[in-house]
Structures are given as structure tokens and as C-alpha cells.
């Protein structure tokens, strides 16, 4: 009797074990079936995404809300939210252009698809997009200015009514910090900006030029195919831990401009000091160490005239609620002498220093670095 019970118990365990194995095999098969995507499918999905991004940017230039709306699945809340955000961004870009006295003539995306997972007519995609913005000043339409912004997107693509639409999208958007220009006196600012001339930066210190060159090379998704849209592999990417802007600014000064490390400002394989890594720590260290000094501080309308004093290798610190939240390094000036900056998180290359930051709740520190 006991022997029989033992046999039954063992048989039950064996059956349970086999059942679990079968479940695991089914799950593995289901996952592989659901998420394996052939190279041909990946090319097809990439082509659709490229077309969506091209259409979206054309719609931003023309103000065509219907075209933007057609790119989203408006039957889902996530699709609706994504559309509403793009609408706000379109309004902001157009308002900023009006304040600046410029016209955007093209917004050209380069899409690099990293991962595609999906089945049938539903796909999840991770990609980077390097977007080139071209603008001209109203009174100098013959001179084009080029800025590049890099973004990293997680989106869901689905087939609907014989077309492909976005049902969900998330990305760290460079315009998210400022979508309201209603409190800026655009007319007087525009008049001043259009009265400025180009600046000759060819005679600046070679270390400043080297700083800008390093920034051009390693600004990630805002760089170019030549540099593989990547950060410098010698350094850890701190974006997942809250941001990489100060880390990149420190790299620019150390690798590009050859500032020496010290006990307060340092990076090695074990990590980095606060002054190297933290935006507020970086700004405080540079100022109190004597390596830099303040040119101007305050809201945009108080500092924009002083911004023309900035040179490549200087930096701008962005303050929200009494906290420095971002650092951008100056890398040039456009055809009207307007200061351009580069940074990580989000990736920017030679972008107007206030684009995406011109809001009454943001204050700016314009900092001269001493070379």
C-alpha cells in the first residue's frame, strides 16, 4: 500500500514536471513567433516609419493638423495623446520662429531603426532619429542655417484602414521643457535679433575650437553617420540615471579643451564626482573654482542681448525652480550671430541656445569659461 502511494506520488510529480516543461516550450514558441521579425519585414516597417516621420515634419512646417492627425490611431488614448503633443510642439516651433524672425524651410529626419518586435499588423519599434532643421532669417533668405536634434523613440505601429498609424509613442523631446512663448515680448526681441550681424569666430583660442570639434563628433543622435550617432565609448552614458548633459560638458572641456582633472572634478572607471556629473554641481564648481565667471543671469528677456557675448567653449546653465537642470556647451553662432549650443539629453548639435527653453519659468546662466 505504501509502495503504491509512493508510485502514485512520483507519477504525479512527473506529470506536473512535464506539464510545466510544455508550458515553457509553448511560451518560448509564442514569444519567438510573436517577436521574431525577418529582415524583409524590418525593412518594410522602417520604410513606413520614415514616411510617417517625413509627413509629420512637413505637416509641422505647413501647419497641416489634418495630416498630423492622420498619422495616429485616434481611437486609442495613447494615440490621441501623442497627436496632441505633436500639435503643441508645432505651435511652439512656429511661435519661436516668429519671435526669432526666422522661417524653417525644411525639417529632414534620418531614421535608424534599432529593434523591431511584433506580429502581423502590430509592431513595437525602438529607433533613433537624427533630424536636421534648416532655417533662414526673414531679411536674409539666401543664407541657410543648419541645426541637428537627435531623439530616441519607443513607438507602436499598427495597420488601420489599409495604412500604418502610430498607436503609442514616447521619446525624450527637446521641446518638452518649453511649449509656451505667450509671455515673451516677441516684437521687440525680433527687432533686436534682426539688427545683429554675423560673428567672425575664426580667431578664437584653438582650445575653444577643439572643444566645439569634440562636441560635434560625440553629440550622439545629433551627430552624423560618419560618427555613427554615438557617444564617446570611453565614458558611461548616464541618461538612464537621470541625464548625461554635465558628463558631456565635462568631456568637452577635458577631452576637447584639455582642462585638467582634479579631486573635485574627475571621472574614471569607478565613476565620477558630482562636479563632473551633476548639472548643478558642474555649474557651481566651474564658477567657484575660478575656471569660469557669469556673463549674465535671469529670464530670457533679461539675458538674450548678453548671449551674443558667448563664445565656443563657454556654456549655458538652465535653471528651473531654483535648480540647475541642464547644461549646454556653446559651439558656434548662426548667420545673425545668434549663439548655438550642443548637448546630450536630448542630443543637440549647434542649436539656438534657447530653442526648447524659452519660457518665463526658466532662468539662464550665461557662463564664460576661462581658457
Amino acid at each position: 500500500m505504501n509502495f503504491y502511494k509512493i508510485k502514485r506520488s512520483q507519477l504525479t510529480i512527473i506529470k506536473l514536471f512535464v506539464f510545466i516543461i510544455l508550458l515553457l516550450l509553448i511560451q518560448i514558441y509564442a514569444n519567438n513567433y510573436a517577436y521574431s521579425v525577418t529582415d524583409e519585414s524590418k525593412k518594410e516597417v522602417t520604410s513606413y516609419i520614415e514616411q510617417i516621420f517625413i509627413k509629420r515634419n512637413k505637416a509641422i512646417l505647413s501647419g497641416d493638423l489634418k495630416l498630423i492627425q492622420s498619422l495616429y490611431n485616434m481611437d486609442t488614448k495613447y494615440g490621441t495623446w501623442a497627436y496632441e503633443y505633436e500639435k503643441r510642439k508645432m505651435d511652439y516651433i512656429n511661435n519661436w520662429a516668429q519671435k526669432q524672425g526666422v522661417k524653417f524651410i525644411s525639417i529632414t529626419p534620418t531614421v535608424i531603426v534599432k529593434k523591431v518586435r511584433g506580429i502581423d499588423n502590430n509592431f513595437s519599434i525602438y529607433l533613433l532619429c537624427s533630424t536636421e532643421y534648416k532655417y533662414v532669417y526673414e531679411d536674409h533668405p539666401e543664407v541657410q542655417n543648419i541645426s541637428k536634434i537627435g531623439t530616441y523613440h519607443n513607438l507602436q505601429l499598427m495597420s488601420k484602414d489599409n495604412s500604418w498609424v502610430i498607436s503609442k509613442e514616447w521619446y525624450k523631446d527637446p521641446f518638452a521643457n518649453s511649449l509656451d512663448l505667450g509671455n515673451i515680448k516677441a516684437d521687440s526681441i525680433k527687432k533686436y535679433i534682426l539688427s545683429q550681424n554675423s560673428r567672425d569666430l575664426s580667431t578664437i583660442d584653438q582650445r575653444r575650437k577643439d572643444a566645439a570639434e569634440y562636441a560635434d563628433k560625440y553629440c550622439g543622435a545629433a551627430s552624423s553617420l560618419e560618427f555613427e550617432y554615438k557617444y564617446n565609448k570611453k565614458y558611461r552614458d548616464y541618461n538612464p540615471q537621470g541625464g548625461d548633459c554635465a558628463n558631456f560638458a565635462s568631456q568637452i572641456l577635458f577631452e576637447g579643451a584639455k582642462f585638467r582633472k582634479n579631486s573635485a572634478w574627475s571621472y574614471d572607471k569607478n565613476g565620477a564626482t558630482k562636479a563632473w556629473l551633476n548639472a548643478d554641481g558642474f555649474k557651481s564648481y566651474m564658477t567657484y573654482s575660478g575656471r569660469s565667471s557669469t556673463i549674465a543671469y535671469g529670464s530670457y528677456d533679461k539675458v538674450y542681448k548678453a548671449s551674443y557675448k558667448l563664445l565656443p567653449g563657454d556654456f549655458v546653465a538652465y535653471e528651473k525652480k531654483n535648480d540647475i537642470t541642464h547644461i549646454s556647451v556653446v559651439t558656434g553662432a548662426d548667420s545673425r550671430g545668434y549663439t548655438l549650443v550642443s548637448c546630450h539629453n536630448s542630443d543637440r548639435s549647434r542649436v539656438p541656445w534657447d530653442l526648447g527653453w524659452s519660457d518665463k519659468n526658466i532662468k539662464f546662466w550665461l557662463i564664460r569659461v576661462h581658457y
Side-chain angles (χ1 to χ4, degrees):
M1 185 69 174
N2 290 336
F3 178 78
Y4 176 72
K5 287 182 177 179
I6 292 173
K7 287 291 186 180
R8 286 186 62 185
S9 176
Q10 289 177 339
L11 184 61
T12 300
I13 292 173
I14 291 171
K15 287 181 178 179
L16 181 61
F17 179 75
V18 171
F19 178 71
I20 292 173
I21 293 297
L22 286 173
L23 281 178
L24 289 173
L25 289 173
I26 291 171
Q27 186 64 42
I28 291 172
Y29 174 79
N31 285 341
N32 287 337
Y33 177 68
Y35 293 119
S36 62
V37 176
T38 64
D39 289 341
E40 184 177 349
S41 295
K42 185 176 180 180
K43 288 181 180 178
E44 184 178 2
V45 170
T46 300
S47 178
Y48 281 121
I49 292 172
E50 287 175 343
Q51 290 304 309
I52 287 175
F53 276 51
I54 289 171
K55 289 179 181 178
R56 186 162 69 183
N57 289 333
K58 285 184 176 179
I60 289 174
L61 287 174
S62 64
D64 189 346
L65 286 176
K66 288 186 178 179
L67 177 54
I68 293 180
Q69 190 176 65
S70 70
L71 303 175
Y72 294 89
N73 182 5
M74 301 299 289
D75 294 332
T76 68
K77 64 178 181 180
Y78 293 115
T80 301
W81 289 347
Y83 158 73
E84 289 175 348
Y85 182 81
E86 292 301 318
K87 178 182 179 299
R88 290 174 60 209
K89 185 170 78 171
M90 179 185 74
D91 291 339
Y92 170 78
I93 290 174
N94 289 329
N95 287 343
W96 183 88
Q98 184 178 5
K99 180 271 297 184
Q100 198 74 5
V102 305
K103 178 182 179 182
F104 285 98
I105 58 174
S106 70
I107 306 176
T108 306
T110 297
V111 176
I112 310 294
V113 173
K114 295 293 188 179
K115 294 180 182 178
V116 179
R117 303 172 68 193
I119 183 173
D120 296 332
N121 296 323
N122 291 275
F123 295 94
S124 295
I125 302 108
Y126 173 68
L127 62 89
L128 72 81
C129 183
S130 185
T131 305
E132 180 186 81
Y133 290 77
K134 286 185 179 180
Y135 65 90
V136 297
Y137 281 92
E138 294 175 356
D139 55 349
H140 279 176
E142 71 282 0
V143 182
Q144 296 183 3
N145 298 279
I146 298 176
S147 298
K148 295 185 73 174
I149 294 177
T151 47
Y152 304 84
H153 299 245
N154 285 287
L155 63 84
Q156 293 179 3
L157 199 65
M158 66 175 293
S159 179
K160 180 183 178 183
D161 300 329
N162 297 318
S163 182
W164 288 91
V165 293
I166 297 171
S167 57
K168 188 176 182 179
E169 182 177 22
W170 182 91
Y171 64 103
K172 175 69 175 178
D173 185 68
F175 303 108
N177 290 288
S178 175
L179 291 174
D180 180 15
L181 282 173
N183 295 288
I184 291 180
K185 300 175 182 178
D187 290 340
S188 60
I189 292 173
K190 175 180 176 180
K191 183 178 179 180
Y192 183 84
I193 291 173
L194 292 179
S195 70
Q196 302 304 301
N197 298 313
S198 61
R199 289 192 279 159
D200 181 9
L201 299 176
S202 63
T203 60
I204 61 173
D205 187 284
Q206 184 60 45
R207 292 172 64 199
R208 289 185 178 275
K209 294 178 182 178
D210 293 342
E213 183 178 340
Y214 181 89
D216 289 341
K217 185 174 182 179
Y218 292 112
C219 56
S223 61
S224 63
L225 180 60
E226 177 186 359
F227 303 121
E228 300 181 326
Y229 305 103
K230 293 180 179 179
Y231 293 175
N232 189 339
K233 294 180 180 179
K234 288 171 56 177
Y235 295 88
R236 181 177 175 182
D237 176 4
Y238 284 93
N239 280 316
Q241 282 73 50
D244 199 63
C245 63
N247 181 32
F248 186 47
S250 293
Q251 291 174 42
I252 291 170
L253 295 184
F254 173 69
E255 296 278 4
K258 304 305 179 185
F259 278 85
R260 293 182 179 180
K261 297 177 184 176
N262 54 42
S263 59
W265 182 69
S266 184
Y267 176 97
D268 59 31
K269 63 181 180 180
N270 298 316
T273 61
K274 180 180 179 180
W276 183 286
L277 189 62
N278 176 268
D280 195 41
F282 175 84
K283 180 264 174 186
S284 295
Y285 163 74
M286 291 297 296
T287 301
Y288 292 117
S289 68
R291 285 184 157 179
S292 71
S293 57
T294 302
I295 294 174
Y297 165 72
S299 57
Y300 177 79
D301 59 347
K302 292 181 179 179
V303 305
Y304 75 94
K305 292 181 180 179
S307 70
Y308 290 88
K309 298 178 182 179
L310 289 165
L311 298 172
D314 292 338
F315 68 90
V316 180
Y318 304 78
E319 178 185 305
K320 296 180 71 175
K321 297 180 180 179
N322 299 315
D323 182 40
I324 304 297
T325 61
H326 184 65
I327 300 290
S328 289
V329 177
V330 177
T331 45
D334 70 10
S335 62
R336 278 294 186 191
Y338 202 74
T339 294
L340 306 176
V341 298
S342 299
C343 63
H344 284 178
N345 191 37
S346 298
D347 298 346
R348 291 173 169 89
S349 178
R350 299 186 180 246
V351 174
W353 65 275
D354 71 304
L355 182 59
W357 293 94
S358 39
D359 185 288
K360 70 171 184 176
N361 296 316
I362 297 174
K363 293 184 179 179
F364 306 88
W365 292 85
L366 309 185
I367 305 296
R368 165 79 76 235
V369 177
H370 303 311
Y371 284 79

